[in-house]
Amino acid sequence: MAFCIPGFESRTFTVPSADSSVDIAYQIAGSGPPLLLLHGFPQTKAIWHRIAPRLANHYTVVAADLRGYGDSSKPHGRSDHSTYSKRAMAADQHALMMSLGFSRFFLVGHDRGGRVAHRLSMDFPESIWRLMVLDISPTLIMYEHTTQQFATGYWHWFFLIQPEPIPETLIGCHPEFWLKNHMGRAAQDGVFDAACWVDYLAEVSNPQSLHAMCEDYRAAASIDLEHDRIDRQADKKLAMPVRVLWGEQGLVQACFAPIEDWRRIADQVTGRALPCGHYIPEECPEQLLDEIMAFCSQA
């Protein structure tokens, strides 16, 4: 059993499937309007532990593990990487919320969870009241505007998409060394709770999780871009309000223009930088809590 957010109940939902079912692990607490929280790479739903209990005083909070992460199923990826397309991962989360009786809900996603949230909002717009994404610009825009500075800082984007089993093998030789170097200053400065760090290290130490995470990135560099280009060609945009937050000390701040980037694919975009790096839920929990409460209260 992975890290449990204080006051939350751990559950599992099996996503109906014609070929192979996928179990999505989640934790739930609170009452009121539903709010789905989606974590990023290489983490789990544990990232929300500093704000989820207080959000549960106002919302029915669902913190889920993405397919391939945490306690969720980790199927081996298909050759076209569709197993870990953001469309497939988003459909998991939409089915979970529908199973709980939530036909509409607030949605917050960090990092890879933000990319899943983007696709969920595109594919199921009628289900999303408001969307908040943390420390990302849209995937297609980031790939199209890759610079040497971005490629140097986000080198893992280009490493993890290499064919199986290259990154899986190399990371698997020393998972803790890789994790500490990947998460950099945040790992060295004690940003992460010790129990959460155990969760994150378990992710990269598990060969199935490691493969799933690589497939997540392989999908982002292939089938996800196809889906995003189809949206662009159709001039399809997100109609719900979108709030984007990013770390002023991170590469998204240095290399992209998040508000302008999201306005290319969404009609109503606001946002700002927070005084932190990439790991906003754990570095800036108080500011993030205030942002979520204010944004959702406007609905």
Side-chain angles (χ1 to χ4, degrees), residues 150-160 171 178 181-182 251:
F150 174 67
T152 300
Y154 269 27
W155 60 273
H156 65 285
W157 273 40
F158 308 95
F159 170 59
L160 296 174
I171 295 171
W178 184 86
N181 280 273
H182 169 73
L251 270 182

Side-chain angles (χ1 to χ4, degrees), residues 30-107:
S31 60
L35 167 62
L36 175 61
L37 305 176
L38 299 178
H39 67 87
F41 165 89
Q43 298 174 283
T44 69
K45 56 187 176 297
I47 72 167
W48 307 108
H49 72 100
R50 290 181 176 144
I51 64 170
R54 285 179 286 175
L55 286 170
N57 292 327
H58 306 275
Y59 302 95
T60 301
V61 179
V62 179
D65 282 328
L66 299 173
R67 172 189 298 215
Y69 291 80
D71 291 328
S72 290
S73 295
K74 302 162 179 62
H76 199 86
R78 298 188 184 94
S79 60
D80 65 353
H81 312 303
S82 61
T83 308
Y84 290 93
S85 71
K86 301 310 156 293
R87 173 156 287 159
M89 297 170 82
D92 292 341
Q93 301 300 327
H94 183 261
L96 165 62
M97 295 302 281
M98 295 303 105
S99 77
L100 294 170
F102 302 139
S103 59
R104 299 194 74 190
F105 49 93
F106 295 111
L107 179 57

Side-chain angles (χ1 to χ4, degrees), residues 242-283:
V242 175
R243 182 76 172 168
V244 54
L245 304 173
W246 64 95
E248 64 183 14
Q249 301 161 17
L251 270 182
V252 171
Q253 161 87 2
C255 298
F256 300 96
I259 292 178
E260 289 78 4
D261 292 344
W262 282 100
R263 283 178 176 163
R264 292 181 61 181
I265 65 166
D267 292 328
Q268 305 178 61
V269 181
T270 60
R272 70 182 180 100
L274 297 181
C276 61
H278 175 64
Y279 301 100
I280 293 174
E282 291 162 295
E283 292 183 71

